[in-house]
Amino acid sequence: MDHEALRTVIYKLNEDEQFYKKYYYAKQQEYSLQEFLSTINIDDVLRRHLLVPEIKETIPPRFEDNFFFDAGNHVSITVTRHNRYSPALTHDHTFFELLYVYDGSCSQKISDSQLTLRTGDLCIIPPGIKHSVSVFDDNSVILNILIRKSTLHNIFFNFLNSPNILSAFFLNNIYSKNGNDYIVFHTGNDNEIRSGFLWMYWESLNRSLYWDQMISYTLMITFGLLIRNYEKSSELPTFNRKSDVQRFALLQFIQENYATVTLEQVAEKFHYTPEHVSRLFKSTTGKTFTQLLQQVRIEKAQILLSDTNLTVADIASQVGYDTTEHFIRLFKKNLKITPTEYRKKGIII
């Protein structure tokens, strides 16, 4: 199947959707539901990760990374098509979810907000946010992109260092304990965006050489188009508050100056006392300035270990540590593995 053929095939109900459609209509009457449940092969349902609320063991308490990502796999982005007729379960997860309405519509309940998304709408939901998705017709096509929180910054390093509403959304939800519940972009029938999402889905299905990098690059371009053309019309319910702007500015400054920045420099930059800056970081992220700076430096080191041939000593110096020994000790404390072991295994933690 080629990319063009996918435009037609994408509308066909797959095996899981056919199961869910039968389940959806069986639930309309109690007797038909019981009859349907009696025919289910539990082992098959569990193997396929099908969700049936009446069977408790099929419903995870939370959608962890390993529900969608293979353990030990370097792949940090998964592209899927949302199963139509699947139960509208209220859930949260440990990763970022991008929900794009390729065609048709769907309903989303996010925290206390009820949204109706239509063709071209893109909704991004961060980790830890309770939400549900309802798609109960044959003609709507919803594509999902899942991105590990632990590696999002590594993948989109340059983008997240640019001041815009989308990088603010991601950074606040990576480092802040009070991030935003969602952000929505309305792209309508924008063919570039539409083709980009279909291309990423095709790459995920086909898995040719460098397929995961191709998805990352295409998603980066998509982010750029969203900011260029749709930033002003985006919906970000709580970002207009002064505290949101303030905490993003603090996080952005740390991102840009992580190798040399000190608490005193941050205080001078924002015209606060060091004590006040310390309280801001603690209230915003739940971490001290030193803990947050350490987290950012370790993340930068992961990128350098994966993408360069620099020595561990050079990396230690580049991310801001005076001694290699101190860097190795902190790296192992945070990731339970040494920098050299991390590089050899080539894994994303």
Side-chain angles (χ1 to χ4, degrees):
M1 179 175 61
D2 60 24
H3 177 255
E4 290 303 316
L6 186 60
R7 294 181 187 275
T8 301
V9 175
I10 199 172
Y11 287 92
K12 295 182 179 178
L13 294 178
N14 62 32
E15 185 181 1
D16 290 349
E17 289 175 314
Q18 291 171 12
F19 171 91
Y20 282 132
K21 187 174 183 178
K22 292 177 182 176
Y23 172 48
Y24 173 77
Y25 284 109
K27 286 192 297 182
Q28 308 307 312
Q29 299 290 337
E30 180 61 28
Y31 76 90
S32 59
L33 174 60
Q34 294 307 316
E35 182 179 351
F36 176 82
L37 294 174
S38 69
T39 66
I40 288 179
N41 182 323
I42 301 297
D43 291 336
D44 183 56
V45 167
L46 292 172
R47 178 183 60 81
R48 291 161 59 188
H49 281 182
L50 297 173
L51 305 172
V52 183
E54 290 81 5
I55 304 175
K56 291 183 179 180
E57 57 265 41
T58 69
I59 310 299
R62 189 183 199 194
F63 287 100
E64 305 282 348
D65 282 14
N66 58 17
F67 196 84
F68 295 97
F69 299 94
D70 293 334
N73 196 311
H74 72 285
V75 174
S76 296
I77 302 178
T78 295
V79 186
T80 64
R81 189 184 64 175
H82 180 83
N83 281 322
R84 288 161 285 190
Y85 296 100
S86 58
L89 297 173
T90 299
H91 66 283
D92 67 328
H93 37 65
T94 56
F95 42 81
F96 283 91
E97 177 180 1
L98 285 66
L99 186 150
Y100 175 71
V101 183
Y102 180 82
D103 198 6
S105 64
C106 71
S107 296
Q108 275 232 75
K109 184 175 182 182
I110 308 174
S111 299
D112 296 324
S113 301
Q114 187 72 46
L115 308 178
T116 298
L117 303 176
R118 297 180 173 83
T119 301
D121 287 347
L122 170 65
C123 181
I124 306 177
I125 304 165
I129 299 299
K130 296 287 187 183
H131 68 286
S132 63
V133 185
S134 301
V135 189
F136 300 123
D137 68 85
D138 286 11
N139 300 316
S140 294
V141 175
I142 314 299
L143 299 178
N144 292 98
I145 297 182
L146 314 179
I147 309 174
R148 295 186 201 241
K149 177 181 178 180
S150 59
T151 57
L152 184 140
H153 193 276
N154 294 8
I155 301 169
F156 303 113
F157 173 78
N158 290 326
F159 176 82
L160 293 178
N161 279 346
S162 303
N164 60 70
I165 198 170
L166 189 50
S167 61
F169 173 82
F170 281 126
L171 285 177
N172 278 332
N173 281 291
I174 291 173
Y175 297 112
S176 172
K177 63 181 181 180
N178 296 308
N180 306 103
D181 287 356
Y182 65 89
I183 185 170
V184 175
F185 292 92
H186 303 287
T187 72
N189 292 312
D190 189 313
N191 193 54
E192 286 184 289
I193 300 289
R194 185 178 170 88
S195 296
F197 273 92
L198 189 66
W199 174 263
M200 287 186 281
Y201 182 51
W202 183 81
E203 286 286 348
S204 184
L205 292 175
N206 199 42
R207 301 206 169 196
S208 295
L209 188 63
Y210 302 123
W211 66 274
D212 51 328
Q213 290 96 325
M214 294 296 287
I215 291 174
S216 297
Y217 300 150
T218 305
L219 189 54
M220 179 75 76
I221 292 171
T222 301
F223 284 163
L225 291 172
L226 290 172
I227 296 306
R228 174 186 289 177
N229 300 321
Y230 302 103
E231 181 171 23
K232 291 183 179 179
S233 61
S234 62
E235 294 181 33
L236 187 59
T238 60
F239 187 69
N240 290 328
R241 296 184 313 200
K242 182 179 179 180
S243 60
D244 293 311
V245 177
Q246 181 187 64
R247 69 171 176 249
F248 172 66
L250 289 169
L251 294 172
Q252 191 77 25
F253 189 71
I254 296 294
Q255 288 288 324
E256 293 171 351
N257 302 279
Y258 65 90
T260 58
V261 71
T262 65
L263 181 62
E264 288 71 25
Q265 288 172 339
V266 177
E268 182 179 353
K269 167 70 176 179
F270 293 95
H271 307 291
Y272 297 135
T273 66
E275 292 76 19
H276 183 62
V277 172
S278 292
R279 288 193 295 271
L280 283 176
F281 276 115
K282 189 67 175 179
S283 63
T284 297
T285 68
K287 300 180 178 70
T288 66
F289 169 79
T290 300
Q291 290 170 333
L292 179 64
L293 180 59
Q294 186 181 111
Q295 179 182 347
V296 173
R297 285 177 171 177
I298 294 300
E299 288 174 352
K300 307 299 184 184
Q302 286 178 265
I303 298 172
L304 295 173
L305 288 164
S306 299
D307 298 345
T308 75
N309 293 318
L310 291 172
T311 66
V312 172
D314 286 340
I315 291 173
S317 176
Q318 191 161 321
V319 299
Y321 291 105
D322 294 332
T323 69
T324 305
E325 293 74 16
H326 183 49
F327 164 67
I328 293 173
R329 186 166 58 251
L330 289 176
F331 192 97
K332 187 172 183 179
K333 178 182 177 182
N334 281 269
L335 299 181
K336 313 304 179 187
I337 190 172
T338 68
T340 301
E341 291 168 338
Y342 178 90
R343 172 175 273 169
K344 285 181 179 177
K345 289 187 177 182
I347 61 175
I348 300 297
I349 299 180

